[in-house]
Amino acid sequence: MRFMILIKANPDSEAGVMPSEKLLTEMTKFNEELVRAGILLAGEGLHPSAKGARVRFSGNKRTVIDGPFAETKELIAGFWLWEVKSKEEAIEWVKRVPNPDGGESEIEIRQVFSPEDFAASDPSGEIMKKEQELRALTESRLN
Amino acid sequence: MVRDVGLAEELAQDALVVALEKWPKAGVPDNPGAWLMATAKHRAIDHMRRGKQVERKHEEIGHEMEAKQEAAMPDLDAMMDDDVGDDLLRLIFTACHPVLSTDARVALTLRLLGGLTTEEIARAYLVPEPTVAQRIVRAKRTLAEAKVPYEVPRGPELAERLSSVLQVIYLIFNEGYSATAGDDWMRPELCQDALRLGRILAELTPREPEVHGLVALMEIQASRARARVSPSGAPILLLEQNRALWDQLLIRRGLVALERALKLGGAPGPYVLQAAIAACHARARTAEETDWERIAELYGVLARVAPSPVVELNRAVAVAMAHGPAEGLEIVDALMSEPSLEGYHLLPSVRGDFLFKLGRLGEARAEFERAASLTRNAREKELLLGRAAACGDVAPEVKPPRSRNRRN
């Protein structure tokens, strides 16, 4: 299953302080481990919210609010997308995220929807049955 | 380290028990995987020392390893990662050893590397659990009797053994790919298991283009999972899929893996070629944008590297899309006497399509009807009979445009 790992902002990340060399080295090493374990799909770090904006929706109205935003702890500083076997595995990996500078921060783990999550609309198992046909029709040709 | 998979697995389980006992007290170590493998190794060393048949050599290796581990305490993690990598690789090659039947390789790989229980494997493959259990027991016995060394093959043996590993991974993937929905979520998980094994293997053997080729192929095929079934459950053919539903992240990963494979150079193997074909489809934003010329060319190379009537049939379709139905028909006609395609409904179905596009409606109708009689799939039968009926309705001089998708 796919999880989005949300790295929450802290005063440093919001102030645009670049990560220390030690943190960068350890993060690179950690990312390499994720790749070698076959679980890292994608990941990016985000600029401080000062460089971002929000669009607020109210019916047909759209209001644009420029950053920075106040609630630092609720903001996101970066993310990974992982493909793991279980939430427990994701938690184990998140526990190992390096934090060499000893600061306070939080990482949130959220499961990503996948096609099978929508199968509640297939109580009769009809989709499952059709799968057999699907294979016959598509696998043997044009990939 | 130990020659015997059964033993290796037991030791691994031993280590797991130790972990379960120790972790609650001491906390989970920084690198649980490496820690497990290190514990398993210590156990293996104990085991070898205890055994009467222990050779001095083994003990030396054991000492060496312990010494190495103690000396390298500060950077234990990094060292362990490499050792874990080697162990994994040995395990993959052993589980996929050609001395085993294909079914046994698949079961053993899922059990030892995918971490699935026999019950889960049985569920995934819709066979009774005792069958799987027996398959695994027999496979381990076969490996022991054949004295298969627990190691990564080298030299000329590597290519052959690697192709067996890739085949097993791809088989697992395909088993999962056929089930993107249903009551039993084990099967899509097989897809993920195969992808993960492929991704791990690609990091362990970064210089093998076919490994990256297989990963690319699986990533790109997996990218289409969401688009392959309509809301009503009907299968959707590649050219009719809503490309907005394709997973762009997986496509990107697939294209990167393909690039890695091509950068390594050498003549592309079957997985790299299939990935390159899949990539052509992935790059086309609409079905009409598909580079059929390139696909036909790639199928031509694939037909030389890994000749098979089904590849040839696919080539015929691509050639027809690129150069018109007449050229496709020529290839298909050469396949008509192919014994392995006898009873294969896609042959008359494709041939009927070419004939239809060439305006030879009487012959097309006969082919569609023959295809309909060969398929066991009700929905497909209906489609084919519909096409057969259409041959009677359409006036011979009205040729449908060449770029239209085939619906058969």
Side-chain angles (χ1 to χ4, degrees), chain B residues 171-333:
Chain B
L171 276 175
I172 295 171
F173 178 84
N174 270 317
E175 197 58 41
Y177 198 48
S178 67
T180 53
D183 287 324
D184 193 340
W185 303 130
M186 255 331 284
R187 305 189 72 177
E189 269 180 39
L190 280 182
C191 229
Q192 296 307 331
D193 285 330
L195 255 170
R196 184 162 178 180
L197 277 175
R199 288 169 186 154
I200 292 172
L201 189 63
E203 294 309 307
L204 293 174
T205 59
R207 304 210 48 80
E208 295 295 336
E210 279 288 89
V211 177
H212 297 302
L214 174 61
V215 172
L217 179 61
M218 292 193 297
E219 302 266 21
I220 295 175
Q221 287 188 336
S223 78
R224 302 180 196 136
R226 262 180 298 184
R228 295 169 76 229
V229 199
S230 78
S232 68
I236 305 173
L237 295 184
L238 178 61
L239 296 179
E240 288 153 12
Q241 288 173 8
N242 175 0
R243 295 182 182 220
L245 293 177
W246 288 1
D247 187 329
Q248 292 301 321
L249 176 68
L250 292 184
I251 289 179
R252 253 197 326 278
R253 294 179 56 87
L255 295 178
V256 167
L258 178 60
E259 204 162 301
R260 259 177 112 178
L262 295 173
K263 264 194 189 140
L264 287 166
Y271 289 111
V272 173
L273 288 166
Q274 289 178 80
I277 292 165
C280 283
H281 292 297
R283 286 195 194 98
R285 273 171 304 170
T286 63
E288 289 71 29
E289 271 178 44
T290 310
D291 186 353
W292 289 108
E293 188 96 30
R294 176 86 185 123
I295 292 175
E297 194 184 308
L298 287 165
Y299 269 121
V301 183
L302 184 60
R304 282 196 298 278
V305 174
S308 103
V310 174
V311 168
E312 197 60 8
L313 186 59
N314 277 310
R315 186 170 78 87
V317 172
V319 165
M321 294 299 269
H323 305 293
E327 280 189 44
L329 187 63
E330 235 173 83
I331 300 169
V332 167
D333 282 346

Side-chain angles (χ1 to χ4, degrees), chain B residues 377-395:
Chain B
N377 181 305
R379 189 189 145 81
E380 205 168 5
K381 192 185 204 102
E382 198 182 302
L383 274 169
L384 286 163
L385 288 176
R387 293 212 64 184
C391 292
D393 300 334
V394 177

Side-chain angles (χ1 to χ4, degrees), chain A residues 85 89 96 130-131 141, chain B residues 30 178 193 196 233 406:
Chain A
K85 300 276 274 188
E89 190 188 357
R96 298 169 53 201
K130 295 283 182 185
E131 273 305 315
R141 59 203 327 228
Chain B
D30 282 353
S178 67
D193 285 330
R196 184 162 178 180
R406 289 153 302 105

Side-chain angles (χ1 to χ4, degrees), chain B residues 17-34:
Chain B
V17 173
V18 175
L20 291 172
E21 288 166 358
K22 280 199 175 165
W23 283 353
K25 289 177 215 144
V28 179
D30 282 353
N31 185 342

